[in-house]
């Protein structure tokens, strides 16, 4: 196991390298750069704009630009934003906790909603409760989060003259305001994931419940709760946990929209802004960071699978 | 973003900083940090600087007095010959700016230059020719961090987080006696429009300013249904929308094709469909912004070919012109659209597409993203696009920089000797009456050349809660002297 872990962690290095090359190349493949925005609509000569490009190092050969970037990243320097001129690291540092909080809360909601309902509808298959749960799941899957979010805001403001506080407050400054701000976006993001989890839990559990050893357990006269908790649920968890890992990438995508609608200054909002203005250092840093999140999440999933099912041996 | 470089609105600075002159309600330059000015000769403009103006009591200026040296430093910084200082071109006729003594700033011009005062008073929306202490630039390298902003405005920064908002507090060193009235101003950035409107409805925001705090006519009607208490100030945007072809490309190099398109477009319909009537139809200059300068009043304009209703005669003439130009069976135009800017642009192109179909012109719209859009614009690599124009509150910025053959923003490459002559002459004409006449001639010439189809200017509404007093945004100054705002509740 330890050997496996070490090799997996070591494998992150080449993966990160490939991602860094891809991110670097892709942002430069899009036509247009930050100077097109900085000088958009301005009465500026093309020569002066090119001089500025030169000054910012955007005219250097690509491999040279790449090495400079990787070199400074390795020294822990994320560079300065070409748009705001602020250090990218400062921006990320300030915004990361927001996205992480949103992500954790959404995952929390998806697990506490999705898994119990999934279990219930598997155990009471084809009951009215099952149908209701499945309808909710289909609703959660098919209604886009941005619509739900906008409707919620409209409903609250028109119906109750109430809105979540507009200005972001971090949990250590004002926990109550912070919760008011996060509860709606986290719930909406979580609802979508919960629908996926619920369907997955139900399917997996139904399959396990038809296995011979479950019948044996029934035959032994075990109580339903014991059968479910000790024998069935744990074995149905493998696909569920795998899905949970994959959801991390989805969560990041969803945070782009939720953070804008609910005015949360996180990385989702940030990445949208920096891609728009082609702020290369910022796009590269954020993408690399998010890619590492996804990789670490996948690693955690693989490791936890071994704990869930001892038959899985990593060598 | 550095206020001296920013080509984008930095509304915060409207509270923090000031310039030598500002606009009054009618758009005339009036004293701000300069108490008076006069032309010693047509090429020398001398400003007398207000006494007793102090910078914010924040390091590194620490409330010291503002002098002519600071003015010269700030204005010269805007003239830095680097592309990022995008406002340099407004000072291109300036030779040097000096401070011979503590209270005097002398600006020497290369040629007489009529729009100079307007350019000092203007920016994208509020003036960005703000006067700052040099030590701030020396200490931080630039004005990029708004957290470190120091100016002479009624409010100073207490705390600010980019993209979130912050708190401004009353500046204890402010020069207008007894002002500002407010102790604290809390600014919140709300990127999502639906959220912003919900915040107005629930009274979470006291007032909405530029940039993007204003609402459209239909949004206003919506808000009035649920919260009739909110007050609004009508605000004609400082820009206008139109259809702009690349004149170096076929078939737009043929004036008959241009005129045909000009005639076939139904501006009234576009205004209704796109803005639900929340605006007015414009010529080469938006009428409500330049009442004394336009060649046609709004009523006169609506009687001109292309503008008049019904469209029958214009449509027939458009078809005839197309046939004369060699397109009796119609033609196909390649157009670009982008989602970046107000949807107004893309919608205008879609409306144009359906209107031009009636005279046999097919428009293919290709969607591009923001950076590509701008790149094509600077490189002149576009076909036909719907876009907005925004400019300083001087006709020079609207006409010269877009339509003079040598101007940097003339991306459609219009070159007409007669127009250039008029535009060059008005720049040097210091007699306002004569200059107005030249500007009117230039508009008539433009109308004959039909380089683009001018459509409409949007009229928006600045919302404020009923308890907000003393805040009177105008077309020229949407921030309307923030020192005067007070709250009654």
């Amino acid at each position: 196991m330890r050997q496996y872990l070490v090799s997996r962690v070591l494998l992150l290095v080449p993966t990160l390298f490939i991602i860094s090359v891809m991110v670097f190349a892709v942002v430069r493949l899009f036509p247009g750069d930050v100077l097109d925005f900085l000088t958009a609509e301005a009465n500026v000569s093309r020569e002066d704009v090119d001089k500025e490009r030169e000054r910012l190092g955007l005219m250097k050969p690509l491999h040279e630009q790449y090495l400079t970037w990787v070199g400074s990243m390795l020294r822990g320097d994320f560079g300065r934003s070409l748009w705001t001129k602020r250090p990218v690291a400062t921006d990320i540092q300030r915004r990361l906790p927001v996205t992480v909080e949103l992500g954790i809360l959404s995952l929390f909601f998806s697990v506490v909603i999705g898994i119990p309902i999934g279990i219930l509808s598997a155990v009471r298959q084809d009951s009215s409760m099952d149908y209701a749960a499945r309808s909710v799941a289909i609703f959660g899957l098919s209604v886009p989060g941005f619509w739900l979010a906008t409707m919620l805001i409209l409903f609250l403001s028109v119906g109750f003259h109430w809105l979540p506080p507009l200005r972001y407050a971090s949990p250590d400054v004002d926990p109550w305001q912070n919760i008011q701000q996060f509860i709606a976006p986290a719930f909406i993001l979580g609802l979508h994931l919960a629908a996926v989890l619920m369907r997955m839990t139900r399917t997996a559990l139904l399959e396990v419940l038809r296995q011979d050893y479950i019948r044996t357990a029934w035959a032994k006269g075990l109580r339903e709760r014991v059968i479910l908790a000790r024998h069935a649920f744990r074995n149905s968890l493998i696909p569920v946990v795998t899905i949970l890992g994959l959801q991390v990438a989805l969560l990041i995508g969803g945070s782009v929209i939720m953070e804008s609608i609910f005015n949360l200054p996180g990385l989702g909002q940030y990445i949208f802004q920096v891609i728009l203005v082609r702020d290369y250092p910022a796009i590269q840093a954020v993408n690399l960071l998010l890619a590492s999140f996804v990789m670490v999440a996948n690693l955690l999933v693989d490791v936890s699978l071994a704990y869930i099912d001892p038959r899985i041996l990593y060598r | 973003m550095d206020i001296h470089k920013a080509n984008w609105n930095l509304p915060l600075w409207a509270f923090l900083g000031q310039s030598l002159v500002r606009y009054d309600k009618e758009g005339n330059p009036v004293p701000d940090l300069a108490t008076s000015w006069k032309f010693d000769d047509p090429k020398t403009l001398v400003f007398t600087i207000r006494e007793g103006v102090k910078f914010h009591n924040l390091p590194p200026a620490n409330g010291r007095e503002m002098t002519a040296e600071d003015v010269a430093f700030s204005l010269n910084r805007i003239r830095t010959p680097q592309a990022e200082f995008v406002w340099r071109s407004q000072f291109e006729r300036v030779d040097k700016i000096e401070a011979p003594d503590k209270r005097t700033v002398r600006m020497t011009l290369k040629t007489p230059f009529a729009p100079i005062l307007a350019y000092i008073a203007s920016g994208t929306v509020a003036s960005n020719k703000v006067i700052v202490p040099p030590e701030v630039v020396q200490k931080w390298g630039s004005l990029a961090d708004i957290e470190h902003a120091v100016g002479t405005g009624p409010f100073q920064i207490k705390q600010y987080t980019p993209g979130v908002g912050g708190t401004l507090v009353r500046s204890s060193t402010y020069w207008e006696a007894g002002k500002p009235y407010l102790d604290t101003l809390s600014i919140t950035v709300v990127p999502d429009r639906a959220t912003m409107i919900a915040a107005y409805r629930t009274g979470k925001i006291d007032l909405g300013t530029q940039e993007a705090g204003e609402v459209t006519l239909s949004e206003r009607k919506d808000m009035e249904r649920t919260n009739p208490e909110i007050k609004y100030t009508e605000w004609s945007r400082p820009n206008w929308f139109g259809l702009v072809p690349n004149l170096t490309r076929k078939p737009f190099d043929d004036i008959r094709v241009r005129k045909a398109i000009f005639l076939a477009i139904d501006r009234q319909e576009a205004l209704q469909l796109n803005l639900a009537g929340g605006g007015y139809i414009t010529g080469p200059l938006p009428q409500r912004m330049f009442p004394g300068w336009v060649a046609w009043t709004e009523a006169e304009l609506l009687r001109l070919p292309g503008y008049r209703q019904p469209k029958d005669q214009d449509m027939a003439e458009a078809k005839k012109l197309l046939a004369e130009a060699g397109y009796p069976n119609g033609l196909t135009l390649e157009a670009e659209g982008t989602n970046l800017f107000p949807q107004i642009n893309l919608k205008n192109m879609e409306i144009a597409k359906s209107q031009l179909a009636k005279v046999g012109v097919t428009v293919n719209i290709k969607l591009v993203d923001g950076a590509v859009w701008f790149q094509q614009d600077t490189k002149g690599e576009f076909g036909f696009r719907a876009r907005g124009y925004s400019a300083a509150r001087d006709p020079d910025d609207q006409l010269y920089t877009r339509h003079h053959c040598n101007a940097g923003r003339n991306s459609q490459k219009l070159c007409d000797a007669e127009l250039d002559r008029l535009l060059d002459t008005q720049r040097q004409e210091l007699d306002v009456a004569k200059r107005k006449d030249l500007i009117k001639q230039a508009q008539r010439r433009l109308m004959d050349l039909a380089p683009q189809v001018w459509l409409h200017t949007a009229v928006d509404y600045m919302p404020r809660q009923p308890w907000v007093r003393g805040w009177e945004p105008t077309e020229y100054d949407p921030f309307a002297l923030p020192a005067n705002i007070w709250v009654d509740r």
Side-chain angles (χ1 to χ4, degrees), chain A residues 159-203:
Chain A
F160 296 94
H161 278 257
W162 187 85
L163 260 194
L166 279 179
R167 181 102 61 83
Y168 167 73
S170 76
D172 50 312
V173 174
D174 190 341
W176 173 232
Q177 184 176 340
N178 183 270
I179 286 183
Q180 290 181 60
Q181 285 172 324
F182 275 87
I183 202 133
F187 180 79
I188 293 170
L189 263 184
L191 190 66
H192 185 81
L193 305 192
V196 180
L197 277 186
M198 182 251 140
R199 305 247 343 149
M200 195 45 89
T201 312
R202 181 178 176 274
T203 316

Side-chain angles (χ1 to χ4, degrees), chain B residues 23-28 122-125 235-240 280-294 296 298 389-399 436 443 457-459 474-478:
Chain B
Y23 287 117
D24 69 2
K25 279 182 187 169
E26 278 77 45
N28 305 308
S122 71
T124 40
V125 170
W235 186 63
S236 163
R237 297 194 71 90
N239 52 14
W240 70 109
Y280 59 94
I281 292 168
T282 43
L285 280 183
Q287 282 82 358
R288 295 193 199 168
M289 223 155 84
F290 301 103
W293 299 79
V294 288
W296 308 272
E298 282 181 71
Y389 276 91
S390 116
R393 312 312 186 275
D394 188 279
D396 182 73
D397 206 35
Q398 320 257 348
L399 299 177
K436 281 185 177 173
Q443 291 169 69
T457 292
V459 172
T474 67
E475 253 95 271
Y476 291 93
D477 184 5

Side-chain angles (χ1 to χ4, degrees), chain A residues 31-187:
Chain A
D33 64 20
V34 71
L35 260 304
D36 288 320
F37 270 90
L38 283 170
T39 60
E41 278 291 282
N43 197 355
V44 181
S45 78
R46 299 263 309 275
E47 294 73 40
D48 281 353
V49 176
D50 280 342
K51 253 189 244 161
E52 190 61 26
R53 284 200 173 94
E54 199 108 25
R55 209 176 63 82
L56 293 174
L58 295 172
M59 302 287 260
K60 285 190 200 141
L62 283 185
H63 63 273
E64 213 173 292
Q65 288 186 44
Y66 177 76
L67 289 177
T68 320
W69 172 55
V70 171
S72 50
M73 285 290 269
L74 287 177
R75 272 179 274 117
D77 175 10
F78 284 53
R80 269 174 187 274
S81 155
L82 298 176
W83 178 251
T84 62
K85 320 289 179 206
R86 278 195 303 270
V88 173
T90 321
D91 281 350
I92 291 182
Q93 218 170 32
R94 208 182 54 232
R95 289 167 175 274
L96 185 60
V98 179
T99 305
V100 170
E101 187 182 349
L102 183 62
I104 291 175
L105 276 177
S106 311
L107 276 181
F108 170 77
F109 276 121
S110 70
V111 170
V112 299
I113 300 170
I115 292 184
I117 297 183
I119 295 176
L120 264 180
S121 66
V123 175
R124 307 273 176 268
Q125 195 191 358
D126 293 331
S127 67
S128 51
M129 148 79 219
D130 181 26
Y131 286 122
R134 278 153 71 189
S135 314
V136 171
I138 288 172
F139 176 81
L141 273 178
S142 48
V143 173
F146 67 85
W147 183 83
L148 213 55
T150 313
M151 284 304 120
L152 184 72
I153 283 190
L154 196 67
F155 177 71
L156 288 176
S157 69
V158 174
F160 296 94
H161 278 257
W162 187 85
L163 260 194
L166 279 179
R167 181 102 61 83
Y168 167 73
S170 76
D172 50 312
V173 174
D174 190 341
W176 173 232
Q177 184 176 340
N178 183 270
I179 286 183
Q180 290 181 60
Q181 285 172 324
F182 275 87
I183 202 133
F187 180 79

Side-chain angles (χ1 to χ4, degrees), chain B residues 133 139 171 177 228 234 267:
Chain B
K139 183 164 179 195
S171 163
E234 191 177 294
R267 290 153 181 82

Side-chain angles (χ1 to χ4, degrees), chain B residues 241-247 252 334 336 349 377 382-389 403 411-413 451-454:
Chain B
F241 298 97
L243 305 169
V244 182
N246 184 342
L247 302 184
F252 303 111
E334 300 302 326
E336 305 87 22
M349 189 47 93
D377 198 61
F382 62 92
F384 186 37
R385 47 181 50 182
R387 53 171 294 173
Y389 276 91
H403 301 305
S411 54
Q412 56 170 171
K413 297 282 173 277
Q452 44 182 269
V453 182
W454 301 284

Side-chain angles (χ1 to χ4, degrees), chain B residues 31-265:
Chain B
D32 206 2
L33 291 183
T35 47
S36 65
W37 51 86
K38 67 175 202 299
F39 280 96
D40 273 0
D41 61 71
K43 292 203 281 183
T44 314
L45 178 57
V46 179
F47 294 92
T48 307
I49 305 302
R50 190 180 293 280
E51 246 173 285
V53 176
K54 292 183 176 136
F55 286 116
H56 297 152
N57 194 6
L58 291 172
N62 296 320
R64 75 166 173 83
E65 194 182 2
M66 183 210 66
T67 66
E69 288 286 344
D70 302 311
V71 176
F73 167 81
S74 301
L75 296 184
N76 278 323
R77 182 165 185 265
I78 296 166
R79 304 201 302 135
T80 310
Q82 272 177 22
E84 286 203 329
F85 289 90
V86 293
W87 298 96
R88 181 164 57 105
S89 68
Q90 292 191 334
F91 289 117
E92 68 187 358
R93 305 317 307 156
V94 173
D95 186 28
K96 51 183 190 248
I97 302 172
E98 305 152 301
D101 64 61
K102 239 177 110 178
R103 302 257 76 85
T104 313
V105 170
R106 187 189 299 124
M107 192 180 261
T108 316
L109 302 163
K110 293 172 190 158
T111 55
F113 190 57
I116 187 70
L117 282 172
Y119 284 164
I120 292 173
S122 71
T124 40
V125 170
S127 176
N128 65 335
K129 315 299 186 306
V130 294
I131 309 305
V132 298
E135 36 298 21
V136 173
V137 179
Q138 274 144 25
K139 183 164 179 195
W140 304 105
S142 77
L143 302 175
D145 297 320
I146 196 75
E147 300 94 305
H148 303 137
V150 179
T152 60
F155 296 95
Q156 64 183 46
I157 286 271
K158 185 170 173 222
Q159 172 271 328
Y160 196 81
T161 316
V164 180
T167 310
L168 309 184
V169 292
R170 184 177 200 279
S171 163
S172 58
T173 54
Y174 189 57
W175 52 271
E176 269 184 287
K179 289 185 184 176
Y181 300 132
L182 295 180
D183 293 323
T184 329
L185 229 134
S186 165
I187 310 230
T188 305
V189 182
V190 189
D192 186 71
R193 271 199 98 70
T195 314
M196 175 181 85
I197 287 167
Y200 288 138
R201 279 190 172 129
T202 50
K204 280 223 168 192
I205 301 180
D206 287 330
L207 57 90
T209 74
Q210 269 282 325
E211 157 82 11
E214 70 281 3
V215 298
T216 65
L217 181 62
S218 37
E219 284 167 339
R220 171 181 169 168
K221 286 182 180 159
D222 244 18
M223 283 159 66
E224 278 174 340
R225 273 207 300 275
T226 49
N227 187 342
E229 305 284 294
I230 301 172
K231 306 251 183 292
Y232 302 86
T233 310
E234 191 177 294
W235 186 63
S236 163
R237 297 194 71 90
N239 52 14
W240 70 109
F241 298 97
L243 305 169
V244 182
N246 184 342
L247 302 184
T248 63
R249 290 203 180 165
K250 275 190 184 322
F252 303 111
D253 53 344
D254 188 334
I255 188 163
R256 289 170 297 191
V257 175
R258 266 152 40 202
K259 284 221 157 138
I261 294 171
F262 190 90
L263 290 170
I265 295 293

Side-chain angles (χ1 to χ4, degrees), chain B residues 310-323:
Chain B
K311 295 295 291 176
D312 311 342
Q313 194 188 341
D314 284 347
M315 294 305 244
E317 275 171 34
K319 279 187 197 149
K320 210 174 96 201
L321 278 167
L322 282 176

